[in-house]
Amino acid sequence: MAAPVPVIAIDGPSGVGKGTVARALARKLGWHFLDSGALYRILALAARNAGVPLEDAGRVAALAPKLKIRFDQAPDGAERILLDGADIAGEVRAETTGSLASTIAVHPPVRAALLQRQRDFREPPGLVADGRDMGTVVFPDAPLKIFLDASAEERARRRMLQLREAGRGATLAPLLADIRARDERDRNRSTAPLRPADDAVVIDTTTLLPAAVLARVEELLHARNLV
Ligand code: DC
């Protein structure tokens, strides 16, 4: 039997920098990349646009198989997320959309509806998967599982700097409140709560720059003969 396609699962709370590290790693390795949070965000937006209440787990889940999503890049390298052909990347990345996503993500039928869609990203030569339950639920056989953590204050500060760099006004207090609310929902839901897999390597990034985190993950990859 052919060896399974390798997966690097990178999980952790909101704003910890998983996306930055996971994307850089996928690019460096030439592997596929799964941004699972984007799928929850897109589904939440689709439900809102269709007038489906976010608490109606069955109706929200029923929308999932119908979504025609494409992840893409504009010629200038900017991220594009096409839903039924329209670029909704700006809306997908909005802070408010993160909260909508976290709200629908508590429903087991919603999580089940997105499961196969996430597993479909597992294609040769390998996959870097970014999320909350990549190592615990979606890819429990991943040969390398990383759990990134950092204090809520540090994550809010990073988010604020990111928004300011993008030319958007941002203050710390509301970002910190939002991060705490999402942590609470993501960690305490009954299905697939945010937690490190038993075999995950936990890295506290509070005082680390992204390049140092990436270097640590690459060391682990080499140590496990995955590259
Ligand atoms: O990673 P993100 O901020 O884009 O994720 C948005 C929300 O989606 C997050 O607060 C919880 C939910 N989510 C999830 O429940 N499971 C995942 N694998 C990814 C995201």
Side-chain angles (χ1 to χ4, degrees):
M1 227 170 68
V5 174
V7 177
I8 304 170
I10 304 193
D11 290 304
S14 301
V16 77
K18 303 182 296 288
T20 307
V21 170
R23 262 173 225 279
L25 191 62
R27 203 173 307 123
K28 219 164 161 178
L29 297 171
W31 286 15
H32 298 277
F33 173 62
L34 165 62
D35 176 354
S36 61
L39 297 180
Y40 285 91
R41 286 169 181 257
I42 294 165
L43 181 55
L45 286 174
R48 197 201 52 191
N49 295 347
V52 172
L54 299 185
E55 311 72 52
D56 192 334
R59 284 179 67 201
V60 174
L63 291 174
K66 298 180 195 148
L67 302 178
K68 291 203 173 49
I69 303 168
R70 218 177 77 214
F71 294 94
D72 191 348
Q73 265 190 352
D76 66 355
E79 175 182 46
R80 285 204 310 193
I81 300 176
L82 303 172
L83 177 62
D84 296 324
D87 184 7
I88 57 161
E91 256 188 294
V92 168
R93 296 298 168 205
E95 293 301 303
T96 45
T97 306
S99 298
L100 300 182
S102 165
T103 304
I104 62 159
V106 302
H107 302 309
V110 169
R111 305 199 70 82
L114 288 177
L115 193 58
Q116 192 53 46
R117 215 164 174 142
Q118 296 173 82
R119 290 184 175 154
D120 289 343
F121 280 76
R122 188 173 192 168
E123 295 264 15
L127 175 68
V128 182
D130 156 351
R132 304 289 187 293
D133 60 344
M134 298 297 100
T136 50
V137 175
V138 183
F139 303 108
D141 64 333
L144 179 60
K145 300 176 185 178
I146 307 286
F147 189 92
L148 300 182
D149 214 345
S151 68
E153 289 75 12
E154 174 60 18
R155 287 182 282 130
R157 197 187 65 84
R158 287 179 192 168
R159 188 73 190 122
M160 182 180 73
L161 295 179
Q162 235 177 24
L163 288 169
R164 286 188 178 168
E165 257 167 42
R168 284 189 269 160
T171 50
L172 197 62
L175 289 172
L176 183 56
D178 181 59
I179 276 190
R180 290 208 166 115
R182 277 170 66 188
D183 277 3
E184 172 75 17
R185 264 199 304 271
D186 294 350
R187 288 184 209 271
N188 295 324
R189 64 180 176 229
S190 53
T191 307
L194 172 67
R195 67 164 181 85
D198 293 337
D199 51 350
V201 178
V202 179
I203 305 176
D204 186 335
T205 73
T206 305
T207 61
L208 295 178
L209 290 173
V213 180
L214 187 60
R216 175 83 185 103
V217 175
E218 286 186 283
E219 268 171 35
L220 290 163
L221 272 172
H222 287 289
R224 295 186 187 194
N225 289 322
L226 289 170
V227 284

